[in-house]
Amino acid sequence: MDTFAVKNCSLHGLSTFIPLPAPSLSLFGTNMCKVLSSSRKGSVGLSVSEKKLTKVKNCAVESKQEALLQTRMGNWEDPDDGSASECDDEDEDEQMEDNDLDFESDWEEERGNKSATTNKYEEDLVNEVEQLLEPEERAILQQNATPNLRKISTAKWKPLQTLALSGQIPFMDKLLDNELDIDSTDRGGLTALHKAIIGKKEAVISHLLRKGANPHVKDWDGATPLHYAVQVGAMQTVKLLIKYKVDINVADNEGWTPLHIAIQSRNRDIAKVLLINGADKTRKNKDGKTALDMSLCYGRDFKSYDLAKLLKILPVE
């Protein structure tokens, strides 16, 4: 049997050869391609229509859900197109301000509650302590409404110096508020500023200077706060005292300047700061020694040479 291969009839995108009898060529040849093509288009169209229908159904369901949600939450309002009156904005601003005021009042109330709680604790503490004290002890407390410096001091142990060295700034201020001299000295002639520097209490040092402590005062050996700052290696305090215009070449009772002490402590950085700010390297102590002489008295080591070079080249002339 003769066969005829029908070409160009694509089924699912593939070229298919269909063997047909020769007599049926005119009957099926061209029409078959049309039928297959139309069938394929119809199936595609149906698929697209089903997708569109599904989308429409989904949109309808979503619209119903939004409508139901809006019904539960309240009446529907059209979106703002920017044409609302200024009065509405003012009302909203006033409402926000009212809310802010409410917040502040709540905060004030909370702070008031904390203050009341603190006061209640203090009252309870006073009552409890007074019950614990013996009659003579209670009498001492009642006689000292303000600090009694005479009863809490000796020549060696002064309360202001002790508080400065321990960093108790609020209690220092209470003593100063009761007209205690900020430059009062102990048995060794040390002020609170001296003590704070010895203890390297930088916050206390700054506080005392701001309160009017004298940065030039000397102890009984003639040592100033700058001498002690150099001795303990407190670089920031040295710089702070220089800002307060202290005498950088001040000598103690033995003729020692702060530069002598810097060399004795072998502190190159502080010696450099002193030299740059005007320290006189030619000054001699009572033993006739300059700072350079003292640097060489330590012997032949690297530090001795390093300090000697520093004293020779600084300050640059």
Side-chain angles (χ1 to χ4, degrees), residues 39-54:
S39 298
R40 200 162 53 249
K41 290 179 181 179
S43 63
V44 173
L46 179 60
S47 176
V48 172
S49 299
E50 288 177 353
K51 290 181 180 178
K52 289 182 178 180
L53 181 60
T54 302

Side-chain angles (χ1 to χ4, degrees), residues 5-236:
V6 179
K7 297 182 179 179
N8 298 328
C9 292
S10 299
L11 182 61
H12 300 296
L14 299 175
S15 297
T16 307
F17 297 89
I18 304 174
L20 294 175
S24 61
L25 176 61
S26 60
L27 180 61
F28 298 104
T30 304
N31 293 335
M32 180 172 289
C33 293
K34 292 181 179 180
V35 170
L36 292 174
S37 178
S38 61
S39 298
R40 200 162 53 249
K41 290 179 181 179
S43 63
V44 173
L46 179 60
S47 176
V48 172
S49 299
E50 288 177 353
K51 290 181 180 178
K52 289 182 178 180
L53 181 60
T54 302
K55 290 182 179 180
V56 172
K57 288 181 179 180
N58 291 337
C59 291
V61 172
E62 291 176 358
S63 299
K64 288 181 180 180
Q65 290 176 346
E66 291 178 357
L68 179 60
L69 180 60
Q70 189 62 36
T71 302
R72 292 178 179 178
M73 296 178 64
N75 295 328
W76 171 262
E77 294 182 0
D78 292 332
D80 185 9
D81 58 358
S83 61
S85 65
E86 295 180 358
C87 295
D88 296 338
D89 295 337
E90 292 177 357
D91 292 340
E92 291 179 0
D93 293 338
E94 291 178 358
Q95 184 176 2
M96 292 179 65
E97 291 178 359
D98 292 339
N99 292 336
D100 292 340
L101 292 175
D102 292 340
F103 174 79
E104 290 178 0
S105 62
D106 293 342
W107 180 78
E108 293 288 344
E109 182 178 355
E110 181 180 355
R111 186 172 65 174
N113 292 337
K114 289 182 178 180
S115 178
T117 303
T118 303
N119 293 335
K120 181 65 169 56
Y121 171 76
E122 291 179 355
E123 292 176 1
D124 293 342
L125 180 63
V126 170
N127 294 330
E128 182 180 359
V129 171
E130 287 183 350
Q131 293 177 3
L132 292 172
L133 294 177
E134 298 295 335
E136 60 275 10
E137 296 168 342
R138 194 179 301 113
I140 294 174
L141 181 61
Q142 292 174 353
Q143 293 171 3
N144 297 286
T146 58
N148 190 330
L149 299 179
R150 183 177 60 83
K151 292 184 178 181
I152 58 176
S153 303
T154 67
K156 180 176 177 60
W157 305 111
K158 296 286 188 176
L160 187 61
Q161 279 79 343
T162 299
L163 293 172
L165 196 54
S166 61
Q168 302 291 338
I169 293 178
F171 296 108
M172 286 172 44
D173 287 344
K174 285 186 178 180
L175 294 181
L176 296 174
D177 291 340
N178 284 279
E179 300 182 354
L180 176 63
D181 182 10
I182 196 171
D183 294 320
S184 62
T185 60
D186 61 11
R187 176 180 289 174
L190 296 174
T191 65
L193 182 59
H194 283 108
K195 288 285 190 178
I197 291 174
I198 292 170
K200 303 181 74 171
K201 306 292 184 180
E202 292 185 359
V204 178
I205 296 165
S206 298
H207 186 74
L208 287 170
L209 289 171
R210 287 196 300 269
K211 298 281 282 188
N214 184 1
H216 312 285
V217 65
K218 295 183 177 184
D219 66 6
W220 286 6
D221 294 318
T224 65
L226 183 59
H227 283 94
Y228 284 103
V230 173
Q231 184 186 42
V232 299
M235 172 66 84
Q236 295 305 319

